[in-house]
Amino acid sequence: MKAIVSKKPNVKWDDVAGLTPAKHELQRAIVFPQRFPNLYDEKRKPSGAILLYGPPGAGKSYLAKAVATEVDHTFFSISAGDVVSKYLGESEKLIRQLFTLAREKKPSIIFIDEIDALCSNREGGGGGPDNTGNEHTWRMKTEMLVQLDGLHAGDNDNTGVVVLAATNLPWALDPAFRRRFEPRIYIPLPDKEARKQLFKIHSGKWGELLTDVDMEELAEMTGGYSGSDVANVIKHALSVPLQKVQRATFFRKTGSTGEGMYTPCEGHEKGAMEMTWEGVPKDGLSEPPVTAGDFKQVLRDRRVKSSVGVGELERYEGWTREFGVEGSS
C-alpha cells in the first residue's frame, strides 16, 4: 500500500520534450483501453508489460510521471528495495502481494524503476538452485516471471494491470524477462528540437528572456546532452546572479529616490556604495537579472558536461537494432 502514488506528479504529456512514438505507445497500452474499451477484444489486446530503456537522464522516469498524471489508474512505484528481503521466501511473498493488490485495484500500473536490479541474467550465477547462484534470488525471479504471466491468478488474470519498467542496462536483463516486455522502447538523448523545448520548459519565467536565436544557439551547444544535463545547465545559469552577489564589492539602491533594494553594481556607477553582501539588510537584496549570456557562459566554461559517452550510445543503438524499437520523434 505504501508503494501507491496517491498524489499526481503534475507532469503532462506536453511537458515531455520529443519522444512522440514513446508517448503514443504508452497511450495505446494504458489510456486507450480505459477510454475506448470497444477497440480491444481477444485478438487485439493492449500491451501488459512495457520496457523503457536508454541512457541515464533521457526521460524514462519523467515519462512514467506523465503516465501517473494523465491516467486515473492506481499507480504503484516500485524499486528493488520494496520487494527484496533478506529473509527466505519473503521476497516471493512481497511480489505476490504486489500483483494481487494491483489486480484488486485495477486498472493499475506497476512502475518498476531500475528493473535490471531485480531481473538480471540468470546464466552463470543465479541460474538455478543447484549451481553457484543464490537460490533465494532464483526463486524471486521465478515468482516475478509467474506473476508477469498472470499464472495462478485464477479467473482474475492480469487484465487491467500494466507493468511499466525502466532500465539503463537493458543488456543485463534475463532473456525470459526481455521476452515478456513488449514493446521495448528506446528512450534516446534529446535531439536538437527536443533540447530547445527542454530549455523552454525548465527555464520557467526566465525562459521568456531567451529569444528564438538564443534557443537555437543553446540547442547547438548542448549536442549529446541528456535531458538531465540540460536541466543542470539551466540550474547553473540561474545561480549566476547569486554568484555575482557573492563576488560584488559595490552595491547601490534600485529606487530612484534611494529607498529601494540593494543590488550589485560597479564602483563607478551612480550611488555605488562599497560593501559586500554581508552588509545588505535582511530581505533587502534585489538579485541581478538572469540573461541569455549566463546560459551560454555556463556552457562555454564547461561547468556542465555530457554525462553519456559516445561508446555507451553505440551500445544502446546496437541493442535497439537487435531487440528494441525507437522511441524518439
Side-chain angles (χ1 to χ4, degrees):
M1 290 295 292
K2 292 180 181 178
I4 295 177
V5 177
S6 56
K7 184 177 180 181
K8 291 184 179 294
N10 195 29
V11 177
K12 305 292 186 181
W13 293 120
D14 291 341
D15 295 333
V16 181
L19 303 178
T20 301
K23 288 185 276 190
H24 287 173
E25 286 280 2
L26 293 172
Q27 289 165 357
R28 287 195 299 271
I30 300 171
V31 180
F32 278 26
Q34 184 183 26
R35 295 190 62 179
F36 313 113
N38 58 297
L39 296 179
Y40 299 92
D41 53 28
E42 287 298 317
K43 297 299 182 182
R44 180 193 288 166
K45 297 180 180 180
S47 298
I50 304 168
L51 178 68
L52 305 177
Y53 69 93
K60 299 181 293 296
S61 297
Y62 208 64
L63 269 172
K65 289 181 179 180
V67 171
T69 301
E70 295 282 7
V71 301
D72 294 325
H73 292 52
T74 305
F75 194 91
F76 296 82
S77 182
I78 300 295
S79 65
D82 294 314
V83 294
V84 175
S85 172
K86 64 181 180 179
Y87 299 107
L88 186 64
E90 186 67 18
S91 295
E92 302 94 280
K93 180 181 176 182
L94 289 171
I95 291 171
R96 283 196 300 272
Q97 289 176 338
L98 169 64
F99 278 83
T100 298
L101 187 60
R103 294 181 191 109
E104 290 175 356
K105 294 186 173 294
K106 66 182 183 182
S108 59
I109 301 166
I110 301 174
F111 174 60
I112 308 176
D113 201 8
E114 305 299 342
I115 193 171
D116 51 277
L118 287 174
C119 306
S120 58
N121 202 314
R122 294 173 294 171
E123 290 184 4
D130 298 321
N131 63 21
T132 57
N134 188 318
E135 180 182 354
H136 170 62
T137 303
W138 173 75
R139 289 162 57 116
M140 179 190 70
K141 293 176 182 178
T142 301
E143 182 62 36
M144 179 69 82
L145 288 170
V146 169
Q147 293 301 326
L148 283 171
D149 283 336
L151 301 178
H152 306 307
D155 295 332
N156 193 17
D157 60 10
N158 282 351
T159 302
V161 178
V162 178
V163 179
L164 178 62
T167 179
N168 301 327
L169 304 170
W171 43 82
L173 289 177
D174 186 88
F177 287 101
R178 184 180 65 217
R179 179 185 69 78
R180 284 164 173 80
F181 284 96
E182 177 62 38
R184 299 177 285 274
I185 307 172
Y186 177 37
I187 308 299
L189 296 180
D191 59 16
K192 184 178 176 180
E193 287 302 313
R195 292 196 298 275
K196 288 167 66 175
Q197 190 178 349
L198 284 168
F199 274 105
K200 188 176 297 184
I201 291 171
H202 292 298
S203 296
K205 63 180 181 180
W206 291 281
E208 299 172 2
L209 304 171
L210 301 174
T211 65
D212 291 340
V213 175
D214 293 328
M215 290 287 193
E216 189 76 18
E217 188 175 351
L218 290 170
E220 286 284 354
M221 296 174 73
T222 50
Y225 280 49
S226 69
S228 178
D229 295 334
V230 172
N232 283 333
V233 170
I234 295 169
K235 178 182 176 182
H236 278 267
L238 298 185
S239 71
V240 169
L242 308 185
Q243 297 169 19
K244 292 177 181 177
V245 169
Q246 286 182 306
R247 293 194 299 264
T249 55
F250 287 90
F251 285 77
R252 63 175 176 81
K253 289 196 172 181
T254 56
S256 57
T257 59
E259 298 178 353
M261 308 278 277
Y262 288 85
T263 190
C265 68
E266 299 295 332
H268 59 79
E269 293 185 35
K270 183 180 179 180
M273 295 176 281
E274 188 172 1
M275 60 188 294
T276 66
W277 64 269
E278 293 173 311
V280 177
K282 183 179 179 182
D283 298 327
L285 178 67
S286 176
E287 65 175 278
V290 178
T291 66
D294 294 335
F295 289 86
K296 297 170 187 176
Q297 194 60 49
V298 167
L299 292 166
R300 292 192 189 102
D301 293 346
R302 302 286 289 170
R303 296 185 204 172
V304 179
K305 300 178 183 179
S306 173
S307 59
V308 183
V310 175
E312 295 173 276
L313 289 178
E314 291 175 350
R315 191 172 186 185
Y316 285 114
E317 290 164 2
W319 200 89
T320 300
R321 286 191 294 272
E322 190 170 3
F323 300 113
V325 294
E326 287 281 355
S328 60
S329 56

